[in-house]
Amino acid sequence: MAHQTVGYAATELLDSCQGPVVEPDPSCPVEIILAALRGRWTALALLELLHGPRSFSQLAQALPTLSEKVLTDRLD
């Protein structure tokens, strides 16, 4: 089977973005998502939330090395 190249609408989104900035440009959805995912522990908290709705205490138990302050910051 031959490889088929497929175009994605996402490339249009990337073309509209300026590149790395200090504050995300509200017109660039890629920058907004990357800004939301920045920070240590964010990916692990999101991974836990992929299993379904969790209470704060359930997340804290699932991520025992994460302080409650940092968990609060990541959920904010």
Side-chain angles (χ1 to χ4, degrees):
M1 180 187 300
H3 176 73
Q4 182 179 10
T5 303
V6 178
Y8 294 99
T11 57
E12 293 172 9
L13 293 174
L14 291 174
D15 291 339
S16 68
C17 296
Q18 300 285 328
V21 293
V22 176
E23 290 294 321
D25 180 0
S27 68
C28 180
V30 175
E31 285 183 24
I32 299 296
I33 291 169
L34 290 175
L37 295 176
R38 244 181 244 142
R40 191 173 178 198
W41 300 105
T42 304
L44 291 176
L46 286 173
L47 183 62
E48 284 301 318
L49 291 171
L50 286 175
H51 298 291
R54 301 279 190 264
S55 68
F56 183 87
S57 60
Q58 289 172 320
L59 285 173
Q61 286 177 346
L63 302 166
T65 58
L66 187 59
S67 73
E68 289 188 4
K69 180 189 182 319
V70 173
L71 180 56
T72 301
D73 288 345
R74 294 303 171 258
L75 296 174
D76 188 19

